[in-house]
Amino acid sequence: MAMNEKKLNEGHAHMRTAENSQKTSLFKWKPDLDVAIEEYSKAAVCFRTCKAYDLAKNAYLKAAELQAQTNASYEQVALLCKETKQLEQAAELLEKASAMFMDHGTPDSARLVLEKGAKMVEQEFPLKAVHMYKKASAIADNEDRPNNAAENIGKAARILIHQRKLEQSIEYLKKEIHHHKKTQNWPMIGKAAVGVIMLYLHNEDFAGGFNFYEDYFKCPELSDGDDAMYMYRLLKAYDTADEAAGRAILDSPLVRHMDNAFAKLARDLAIPETGTSSQDWGPSPHDPIDEIAEATARLAADDYCEEEEDEELDLL
């Protein structure tokens, strides 16, 4: 207790010194801001040591206000807010720090601060996290960092899926795909495209899902992959109301082992009882050739060859 009281008094002493250093007099024409910043920071450390978190936050904020370049002060306050479960305030402070980093020409630091803040509030304030991840993605995109841009907008999309904001999730996943295209990251494009198709089907928009499949999975880089095969079969099962086939796809390891947001989409997706039969599916371009059909085709070819040989003999 005595130690805490000593640190508390020490902190107040540093605060008084900081305030006095900002005063002017007959022989002191300018405030000594460097000293004030240093003293406020020392006060904050003292207050934090004795768990006087509100006083510590106030001291850090005063230091940050005196020198905008001192983004570390805002980050320190944000960490204090996290310790005291004031997560929304922590996120706002980190956004402020990010804006200041941008103003001073350090966009990478601005992006990292936003990522830190988004992760901090993701559970308690998911839509705030979406906002911060989106801003981080935009910064990365402006700095020609497509991998970072894709990662952040992808995280935002998955939070939106958990929040059941399906239309917005589709929009963000398409942005993720756009960024991955810049680096030709076809495996990640395929995974995100699977999510988009399942979201369309959750919205009971088969046409949207099928058109998206046609646009993305017909390209050579994806057409022969497992993602394309499974989505073709899922769309067919959905369109023809084949519950067993649809559940087989949705329960498959490929889907179950995707990230949590997509796995949840698969678990919750209902195959309609009545199909629309809007497509003439025909044989699947992904399914192995049916053995009976293959044998029939082979026999037909043999018969054709025998007929040709007989005709040639007749001509002789």
Side-chain angles (χ1 to χ4, degrees):
M1 182 66 70
M3 179 65 178
N4 283 347
E5 187 175 350
K6 180 181 177 182
K7 281 293 180 183
L8 189 63
N9 291 334
E10 188 179 335
H12 284 303
H14 284 302
M15 292 293 287
R16 286 192 294 272
T17 303
E19 289 161 7
N20 289 333
S21 68
Q22 297 175 71
K23 295 177 181 178
T24 58
S25 66
L26 181 62
F27 301 104
K28 183 186 174 188
W29 294 356
K30 293 175 62 178
D32 196 339
L33 298 184
D34 289 338
V35 171
I37 291 168
E38 184 179 357
E39 290 297 318
Y40 280 135
S41 298
K42 288 179 179 178
V45 172
C46 291
F47 292 142
R48 186 170 184 173
T49 301
C50 62
K51 301 187 185 303
Y53 293 124
D54 287 340
L55 292 174
K57 283 191 293 183
N58 181 55
Y60 275 129
L61 284 172
K62 284 182 177 293
E65 288 165 3
L66 288 179
Q67 189 176 26
Q69 295 91 329
T70 314
N71 292 292
S73 296
Y74 285 109
E75 292 185 65
Q76 290 289 345
V77 181
L79 290 174
L80 282 173
C81 290
K82 181 183 178 183
E83 289 181 21
T84 55
K85 308 300 182 185
Q86 296 172 296
L87 296 180
E88 198 166 19
Q89 185 180 357
E92 290 171 0
L93 288 164
L94 290 174
E95 272 200 274
K96 192 170 185 179
S98 175
M100 290 164 63
F101 278 127
M102 288 297 293
D103 289 342
H104 291 89
T106 52
D108 282 346
S109 297
R111 172 178 56 81
L112 290 170
V113 165
L114 287 170
E115 291 172 0
K116 183 189 296 184
K119 187 175 182 180
M120 186 185 295
V121 300
E122 193 170 315
Q123 296 300 320
E124 298 293 330
F125 300 97
L127 296 183
K128 182 68 173 178
V130 167
H131 168 72
M132 297 181 82
Y133 278 131
K134 183 181 178 183
K135 288 181 71 172
S137 178
I139 292 172
D141 189 30
N142 288 337
E143 295 301 310
D144 196 24
R145 292 180 174 273
N147 288 331
N148 293 127
E151 181 182 1
N152 281 300
I153 202 68
K155 287 179 179 178
R158 285 153 179 80
I159 295 172
L160 289 168
I161 290 172
H162 285 300
Q163 297 299 307
R164 306 298 297 173
K165 295 185 178 295
L166 304 186
E167 291 288 348
Q168 204 173 353
S169 303
I170 291 173
E171 176 192 346
Y172 281 29
L173 284 177
K174 286 181 177 179
K175 288 181 179 179
E176 180 186 350
I177 290 170
H178 168 75
H179 294 309
H180 282 312
K181 276 187 169 182
K182 295 178 182 178
T183 57
Q184 297 186 339
N185 191 339
W186 299 109
M188 292 303 296
I189 291 171
K191 300 306 178 192
V194 166
V196 172
I197 289 173
M198 287 197 292
L199 284 165
Y200 272 121
L201 296 184
H202 265 277
N203 270 351
E204 299 181 358
D205 183 2
F206 170 81
F210 185 81
N211 290 336
F212 185 84
Y213 168 86
E214 291 280 292
D215 289 340
Y216 282 88
F217 282 118
K218 288 296 182 72
C219 68
E221 294 83 359
L222 295 176
S223 60
D224 293 331
D226 288 343
D227 294 328
M229 176 181 68
Y230 277 72
M231 287 304 98
Y232 179 91
R233 292 176 178 175
L234 177 61
L235 287 163
K236 181 178 180 180
Y238 190 96
D239 191 41
T240 58
D242 189 339
E243 169 72 19
R247 286 262 60 94
I249 297 300
L250 296 170
D251 293 338
S252 67
L254 179 136
V255 176
R256 284 191 290 106
H257 294 161
M258 297 181 79
D259 55 57
N260 289 337
F262 291 172
K264 188 175 188 305
L265 281 177
R267 286 195 304 271
D268 297 344
L269 181 60
I271 304 298
E273 295 181 0
T274 304
T276 60
S277 298
S278 59
Q279 299 295 325
D280 180 13
W281 291 96
S284 167
H286 304 289
D287 290 337
I289 298 174
D290 183 79
E291 291 182 1
I292 297 175
E294 185 180 29
T296 303
R298 189 167 55 248
L299 288 171
D302 290 342
D303 289 343
Y304 178 76
C305 291
E306 288 178 3
E307 288 176 3
E308 281 196 325
E309 289 175 0
D310 290 342
E311 288 177 1
E312 289 176 0
L313 289 172
D314 290 341
L315 289 173
L316 292 173

